[in-house]
Amino acid sequence: MSPSRDGTARGHAVKRRVLVIGAGPAGLAAATSLLETARDRLDVTLVHQGHHLGGKASSTRRPDGRFVEHGWHMVVGFYDRLRALLRRAGVNDRDVFVSMRGQSHPYEAWSRRIHTLDAGGDAVAFAARFATYDGLPGADRANYSAFMSQAFLEAFSGADLTRHDDLCFDTFAVEHGLRPYVTKYSVFRFLREAYFNFPERISAYHVLQSMRLMSSPKRAEAFVCVGPWSEVVWQPIARYFLSLGGSLEPFTLATDWVWTGDRITGVRVARPDSAGHGDGARAWRDEVRPAAGTERTLEGFDFVVSTIPHAVFVKMNRAEERMWRSPWFARLENLRSAATVSMTLTTTKPVLADKPGPVFGFPAPLGITVNMKPYWREYRDDPSVGSVLDFVGQEAGFETWSDEQLVSFTLDSFSRAPQVGDLRAAGVRDVELHRNRADAERLLLCEPGVNQFRPGPRTPFSNLFVAGDWVRNEVDLICMEGAVASGQAAAAAVVARLG
Ligand SMILES: Cc1cc2nc3c(=O)[nH]c(=O)nc-3n(C[C@H](O)[C@H](O)[C@H](O)COP(=O)(O)OP(=O)(O)OC[C@H]3O[C@@H](n4cnc5c(N)ncnc54)[C@H](O)[C@@H]3O)c2cc1C
């Protein structure tokens, strides 16, 4: 059978082959989107280095039934793309994402009290509530409120917020009248710490863009997942991808590009040396390396969509000066990322039972926690578990501390707050700590001036597209929704290239 002049055989279009690398939110979104829009014209293979799906947003269950959390994750009301993708995969998002009742709880050291921010009501009430937060001494409240109102006005104004990217949010605030010391209160610090930008500065663009996307209480409402993310969210999406005709290959670690002229002609891959990312505490901690003797080249693809995280991407083809001196690649070296740290602590007695949302403002590195007991199905009705505290933060400054020091310091600092009480006395049943240091685990820092160096989906290679939370996209925040948006944009770029 010979192809006809228009490249078809017996009237059927010859399918073009697409390789998608990475099965985090961006890779899964890109792979499904390619088949949803052009399955008659595309064959899509998704490869990823580990076993568990979801990348940095994965969490799973061990054979002993315990959760292995890579880091606490929340979904925000404006995550329309992620929710819609999940629904198309046959999962009712309302069944798997539970609201934290619009509440979050800043701990202010000056009063040693955990306060509550309530996001209920309409948009104006929400902005007003945020602006009239009662956790500050009376003398600072008016000043803080005036600034927050201005920040909301700017965020909702429709103006191009990227013009604030070269400024840090603290400076933006002080330039807009906030007294400098007010930036030290937890409620304010949270804006950069929740993006793990501590101790670095966060771009004003990034914070204002978050405020814009959370433009109403509904869009700002925070949700948590009822079980391990890999099983509850990412596996159904992968099954959906397979049902559309895609194929999936785990344990495939991409190490280098093979290229000729302006085309990627192959990808060097190997089996990872360990079980790979996401298979337990150690795998999350260690760098994943190619196992000797397993190297091979994947070839025959027309297009490649890479959702490899930035810190891994910049280590590929390192010996090739020509590539790394070219402007597009050289620019990527201006981006930095951070190692995160997370801890799950189970107690026998209830702790923070009256705080449905995240409690934050405690000292780094694990200064944020959420009691997941009411949310995780496995623990919700288990009377032997009083609370499941999920802590998260950035490792910077604490790299030399031992795990024991980190655990002990965190227990001490939270226990000093009367509303938490002595955590040891609450009966510690289990502690699991993860230092997410491997390149694939690092999270992009949204520092001032960073956006000019973030690429879009297109690359100097005509058939290589990039996606991931670190790639610029319509959402533009370093989060799952940004990664999904970016994956879908890369898929659209491939389809556009098909003509
Ligand atoms: C501690 C922590 C807490 C967070 N909390 C939130 C939150 O509350 N809400 C939120 O929305 N976001 C949160 N995030 C961010 C969110 O996890 C990321 O933005 C999102 O996972 C990025 O998706 P991605 O697909 O771009 O990359 P990743 O999730 O990193 O996925 C990349 C994929 O590529 C694979 N891969 C990597 N290198 C290779 C290679 N060389 N070869 C083959 N495959 C490779 C990985 O195994 C993975 O499958 C958090 C992140 C961390 C670290």
Side-chain angles (χ1 to χ4, degrees):
M1 177 177 63
S2 58
S4 65
R5 274 174 55 205
D6 63 354
T8 63
R10 281 201 194 133
H12 297 291
V14 174
K15 287 192 175 177
R16 315 290 291 278
R17 296 184 65 208
V18 189
L19 176 69
V20 178
I21 309 176
L28 288 165
T32 47
S33 178
L34 284 163
L35 291 177
E36 283 171 336
T37 46
R39 62 190 290 203
D40 52 333
R41 288 180 287 163
L42 295 176
D43 267 332
V44 181
T45 303
L46 177 63
V47 300
H48 65 115
Q49 70 179 24
H51 171 254
H52 295 298
L53 301 165
K56 286 187 276 290
S58 59
S59 60
T60 188
R61 196 194 321 268
R62 285 185 159 169
D64 65 7
R66 283 197 302 161
F67 276 18
V68 185
E69 270 277 83
H70 169 257
W72 180 77
H73 272 69
M74 72 176 182
V75 164
V76 190
F78 70 83
Y79 285 20
D80 298 328
R81 295 167 186 80
L82 173 61
R83 285 173 177 279
L85 174 56
L86 199 53
R87 283 196 297 271
R88 292 199 300 279
V91 177
N92 184 348
D93 57 306
R94 287 160 199 260
D95 292 341
V96 297
F97 297 141
V98 203
S99 169
M100 293 189 289
R101 293 196 259 148
Q103 294 199 4
S104 57
H105 313 281
Y107 171 72
E108 297 294 354
W110 71 274
S111 59
R112 291 183 63 223
R113 267 184 56 75
I114 298 172
H115 300 263
T116 291
L117 273 171
D118 191 332
D122 62 13
V124 176
F126 167 55
R129 200 119 2 105
F130 206 83
T132 54
Y133 165 66
D134 69 351
L136 300 188
D140 296 325
R141 270 188 215 165
N143 177 254
Y144 169 78
S145 308
F147 163 68
M148 284 313 286
S149 312
Q150 272 198 61
F152 272 112
L153 279 178
E154 176 64 17
F156 297 167
S157 68
D160 174 16
L161 298 178
T162 55
R163 65 199 164 113
H164 300 300
D165 185 53
D166 57 356
L167 202 63
C168 84
F169 190 63
D170 285 10
T171 308
F172 173 90
V174 171
E175 280 183 2
H176 286 78
L178 192 78
R179 292 178 195 136
Y181 65 85
V182 177
T183 60
K184 304 281 180 284
Y185 290 111
S186 297
V187 70
F188 193 89
R189 262 180 21 224
F190 184 61
L191 298 168
R192 67 165 179 267
E193 290 179 9
Y195 280 106
F196 308 115
N197 257 57
F198 176 84
E200 314 294 341
R201 302 280 141 188
I202 187 167
S203 133
Y205 162 64
H206 207 87
V207 177
L208 293 168
Q209 171 74 351
S210 308
M211 289 171 144
R212 175 173 286 178
L213 289 167
M214 297 186 204
S215 56
S216 68
K218 195 161 170 268
R219 295 188 70 71
E221 190 168 357
F223 299 80
V224 281
C225 186
V226 294
W229 273 83
S230 299
E231 286 147 46
V232 174
V233 175
W234 307 120
Q235 273 175 24
I237 295 175
R239 278 198 294 271
Y240 172 52
F241 163 69
L242 295 174
S243 75
L244 293 171
S247 44
L248 183 69
E249 267 185 52
F251 301 125
T252 309
L253 174 73
T255 53
D256 285 303
W257 307 114
V258 185
W259 54 286
T260 310
D262 77 338
R263 287 185 67 76
I264 297 290
T265 54
V267 184
R268 294 287 298 153
V269 297
R271 239 185 119 76
D273 62 349
S274 68
H277 155 266
D279 278 347
R282 282 194 49 73
W284 263 311
R285 216 177 274 205
D286 298 338
E287 211 55 74
V288 179
R289 297 186 200 292
T294 64
E295 298 90 351
R296 63 196 165 109
T297 302
L298 298 179
E299 285 168 313
F301 291 95
D302 298 293
F303 301 101
V304 179
V305 176
S306 162
T307 71
I308 293 173
H310 167 265
V312 180
F313 192 92
V314 292
K315 291 198 173 155
M316 295 170 75
N317 299 70
R318 253 350 288 198
E320 294 191 49
E321 288 226 344
R322 206 176 123 211
M323 180 186 273
W324 284 102
R325 286 221 184 123
S326 68
W328 190 89
F329 282 89
R331 249 179 29 184
L332 301 185
E333 300 197 86
N334 294 301
L335 304 177
R336 296 194 304 153
S337 53
T340 54
V341 53
S342 54
M343 179 169 94
T344 313
L345 176 105
T346 317
T347 62
T348 35
K349 292 189 192 147
V351 178
L352 293 172
D354 60 340
K355 304 274 180 285
V359 177
F360 56 87
F362 285 87
L366 288 159
I368 303 171
T369 194
V370 189
N371 178 11
M372 292 298 289
K373 155 94 179 165
Y375 306 115
W376 277 341
R377 284 176 188 145
E378 277 72 8
Y379 296 93
R380 206 166 40 201
D381 302 320
D382 182 346
S384 67
V385 173
S387 69
V388 188
L389 301 179
D390 224 0
F391 296 82
V392 72
Q394 204 207 112
E395 197 195 26
F398 298 87
E399 293 85 348
T400 58
W401 284 34
S402 67
D403 289 4
E404 292 69 30
Q405 278 175 302
L406 286 187
V407 173
S408 178
F409 177 77
T410 308
L411 288 176
D412 288 344
S413 56
F414 275 81
S415 298
R416 268 183 224 115
Q419 288 152 290
V420 180
D422 185 343
L423 283 177
R424 290 182 184 83
V428 174
R429 276 170 53 119
D430 194 26
V431 186
E432 183 150 321
L433 185 82
H434 300 281
R435 301 171 100 134
N436 308 312
R437 287 174 171 171
D439 286 333
E441 306 304 320
R442 296 174 70 88
L443 204 62
L444 191 79
L445 286 172
C446 5
E447 304 167 272
V450 85
N451 263 13
Q452 61 187 303
F453 302 118
R454 292 172 67 197
R458 290 187 176 77
T459 73
F461 293 106
S462 60
N463 61 341
L464 174 66
F465 299 83
V466 286
D469 55 3
W470 60 282
V471 173
R472 295 217 55 193
N473 59 76
E474 278 178 6
V475 173
D476 237 14
L477 303 179
I478 309 303
C479 66
M480 294 180 283
E481 181 71 357
V484 169
S486 164
Q488 291 173 343
V494 170
V495 174
R497 201 53 69 81
L498 286 175

